[in-house]
Amino acid sequence: MRLDPFYLIVDDADWLSRLLPQGVKLVQLRVKDRAEHDLRAQIATAREICARHGAQLVVNDYWRLAMEEGCDFVHLGQGDLDAADIPALRRAGVRIGVSTHDEAELGRAVSLSADYVALGPIYPTLLKQMDFAPQGLARVGAWKARIGETPLVAIGGLTPERAIAALAAGADSACVVTDILRNAEPEARAREWLSATQPWREREGFFEPDYALARVCPSPNHGARLRPVSSLVLHYTGMQTGEAALALLCNPRSEVSAHYVVEEDGRVLQLVPESRRAWHAGISYWAGETDMNSASIGIEVVHPGYDDPRPYPAAQIEATAALAKDICRRHAIPPERVLAHSDIAPGRKRDPGEFFPWEELARCGVGRVVEQNPALGATTVSLGDAGAKVASLQRDLAAYGYRVDQTGVYDAQTVQAVEAFQRHFRRAQVDGRADGETRVALARLVATLGERV
Ligand SMILES: Cc1ncc(COP(=O)(O)OP(=O)(O)O)c(N)n1
Ligand SMILES: Cc1ncsc1CCOP(=O)(O)O
């Protein structure tokens, strides 16, 4: 059985004549504290409106009334399960969705052969006091791995942005109350939900992941690749949350994307097939190539960015290294072509930042680092200087791949290239001034070109 990826809960059947015309196809009637005749009327009304709009109705709690009113799907919490006559529901062909919050409840739902399993609250919810802490997205994937083909519903604190993240984490349907019913414009918000969940409805843009550990979260933002893959480019997302970054990268209006997103907890999502050109590099250059989108694979590492240079979590770096290693192996990308976004767009981009732990990737055989020696060479060349040292610096920068015109004068372009180089390879001081340590580090790297780690 497949569920629609957008699952709306309403607290009164009156909502249905407003929200079903927007295109909602899966709805739960969750009415609390009413007299039986009122409940029966609510269920009958909901059933009639849903039938008219071709929507699936699920009745919460009142399994007996639901059966009597000819409904075919109920939702039961763990307490409801104690009282419900499951064999009678099964005999009547009524499907059963079950709430779960922990392993024991999941075990119970599985042993009942629930028709779907709901996990919540994924995020903090305002709807009701919960005895369980937010479950988080990693648990969504763990639950899905446990229940296999049985549909998984994620619920609690969801918004369209978070719904994308929950579906990308492994949920089959994202369920919501507050974000729609308490919205100033519920109809418009329901349409936003429909549009955010559309790829999961039609499986539009889905593909086989190129990396076995990635889960697909398709972005429409890609085009034809015009060059063979020769580089790997690392970015940070520069946004407060992974959910916000994912929503942006999957939004056709943003016209940005990347092949992969690595979440803070180490989950890997693939947005664009590697055979396609993702839109991550922007105006950029490396070693004579100006179409870096065509010539590279892009990984976005979830991180708030330069203004909040907190350490990248270990699980995230471990996952990034494993992904990068797999990509480099499959595309024969040499270590010197594992690049920072800042390398290919100096002056314009600073990601993934001098706080990115390149040495941990290098320990896994990904990319290059160069030994640091602060005692080396006293002479610093900087903006405005000219002469042999500047010419040699510019030659080395260009030989390594940076865009630097051979002017012999330490100009603004040279400052930006040196700054980019330092950001990646000499992180202790990123100032665009080529001190001895910077120049020796660069020369050492140039000497390694073509070597394999
Ligand atoms: C899809 C979905 N998931 C969870 C719930 C919560 O059900 P329950 O635990 O029975 O709590 P109440 O909704 O009755 O407060 C749900 N209704 N739907
Ligand atoms: C009923 C329920 N069960 C787990 S979370 C939740 C509330 C979800 O609602 P909201 O979308 O308002 O957070």
Side-chain angles (χ1 to χ4, degrees):
M1 182 195 63
R2 274 199 62 198
L3 291 182
D4 193 87
F6 168 32
Y7 184 178
L8 171 66
I9 296 184
V10 294
D11 55 11
D12 192 293
D14 281 352
W15 281 108
L16 299 177
S17 45
R18 289 177 62 180
L19 297 176
L20 294 199
Q22 311 309 319
V24 179
K25 292 294 177 208
L26 176 60
V27 68
Q28 181 184 125
L29 182 66
R30 179 178 177 274
V31 183
K32 299 281 180 187
D33 306 322
R34 309 267 186 109
E36 184 173 325
H37 71 275
D38 194 4
L39 287 169
R40 196 180 284 282
Q42 283 275 326
I43 293 171
T45 305
R47 192 170 95 87
E48 187 277 313
I49 303 175
C50 285
R52 203 159 8 104
H53 288 275
Q56 174 66 56
L57 173 67
V58 181
V59 177
N60 187 38
D61 298 344
Y62 299 103
W63 57 274
R64 201 185 296 278
L65 283 180
M67 236 172 25
E68 287 168 9
E69 290 303 315
C71 298
D72 62 359
F73 214 145
V74 294
H75 180 92
L76 300 176
Q78 295 282 325
D80 308 317
L81 284 176
D82 299 334
D85 185 345
I86 305 291
L89 284 164
R90 292 293 187 209
R91 277 195 305 278
V94 177
R95 284 173 291 172
I96 305 169
V98 174
S99 304
T100 69
H101 310 87
D102 61 22
E103 293 279 348
E105 294 184 359
L106 176 61
R108 189 181 189 195
V110 169
S111 67
L112 284 170
S113 300
D115 292 283
Y116 72 69
V117 169
L119 173 66
I122 306 302
Y123 298 89
T125 175
L126 301 175
L127 188 75
K128 66 175 200 179
Q129 189 69 36
M130 300 285 308
D131 294 335
F132 295 86
Q135 308 277 358
L137 292 173
R139 201 139 206 225
V140 172
W143 246 229
K144 186 60 189 168
R146 287 280 302 278
I147 64 177
E149 290 300 301
T150 304
L152 176 64
V153 174
I155 182 169
L158 295 184
T159 59
E161 205 169 75
R162 288 171 167 183
I164 293 172
L167 294 167
D172 298 285
S173 189
C175 189
V176 59
V177 188
T178 310
D179 186 68
I180 292 186
L181 301 197
R182 302 280 174 274
N183 196 280
E185 295 182 60
E187 289 88 348
R189 194 62 168 170
R191 289 195 296 276
E192 282 178 46
W193 270 81
L194 284 163
S195 134
T197 53
Q198 180 60 18
W200 282 269
R201 185 165 296 108
E202 300 294 339
R203 307 298 292 173
E204 261 168 33
F206 272 80
F207 53 89
E208 273 305 303
D210 294 294
Y211 178 55
L213 299 181
R215 219 180 251 285
V216 172
C217 175
S219 166
N221 301 338
H222 54 84
R225 194 183 269 295
L226 307 174
R227 310 265 194 281
V229 173
S230 55
S231 298
L232 175 64
V233 179
L234 295 181
H235 304 253
Y236 60 49
T237 51
M239 299 181 78
Q240 275 312 308
T241 63
E243 289 87 340
L246 206 56
L248 180 85
L249 294 165
C250 294
N251 183 339
R253 285 191 301 272
S254 75
E255 299 189 352
V256 291
S257 62
H259 294 91
Y260 294 95
V261 169
V262 183
E263 300 280 358
E264 286 169 317
D265 59 11
R267 285 175 302 113
V268 177
L269 304 173
Q270 185 170 4
L271 279 53
V272 173
E274 290 179 8
S275 59
R276 302 283 293 169
R277 179 180 183 271
W279 304 339
H280 60 97
I283 297 167
S284 49
Y285 172 99
W286 192 255
E289 178 59 68
T290 52
D291 184 359
M292 287 303 291
N293 276 332
S294 272
S296 68
I297 287 175
I299 301 179
E300 287 277 359
V301 184
V302 171
H303 186 281
Y306 216 78
D307 298 332
D308 182 2
R310 62 175 84 148
Y312 287 86
Q316 186 181 39
I317 291 306
E318 208 175 294
T320 304
L323 168 64
K325 190 168 181 162
D326 188 70
I327 293 169
C328 291
R329 181 185 56 74
R330 286 186 287 102
H331 294 276
I333 297 173
E336 66 272 15
R337 289 298 183 101
V338 177
L339 304 170
H341 195 197
S342 48
D343 288 322
I344 64 172
R348 197 174 68 79
K349 293 292 171 187
R350 297 189 291 190
D351 58 318
E354 52 268 40
F355 42 90
F356 186 79
W358 291 103
E359 61 288 346
E360 287 178 38
L361 265 65
R363 226 173 281 138
C364 301
V366 174
R368 281 232 187 282
V369 286
V370 61
E371 200 186 309
Q372 309 291 307
N373 190 342
L376 278 174
T379 320
T380 295
V381 283
S382 59
L383 186 63
D385 288 342
K389 279 202 167 61
V390 174
S392 149
L393 172 75
Q394 289 182 330
R395 249 191 330 271
D396 281 354
L397 285 166
Y400 202 65
Y402 291 94
R403 169 169 254 164
V404 176
D405 300 331
Q406 305 300 296
T407 59
V409 176
Y410 206 114
D411 49 15
Q413 188 192 43
T414 308
V415 173
Q416 289 178 347
V418 169
E419 203 174 300
F421 174 81
Q422 291 171 327
R423 186 159 276 133
H424 188 159
F425 296 105
R426 209 292 299 265
R427 275 114 35 90
Q429 198 179 326
V430 180
D431 59 4
R433 291 159 50 82
D435 56 2
E437 187 185 1
T438 300
R439 284 184 289 110
V440 170
L442 173 60
R444 280 189 179 149
L445 280 174
V446 170
T448 66
L449 281 180
E451 272 180 19
R452 296 291 166 265
V453 284

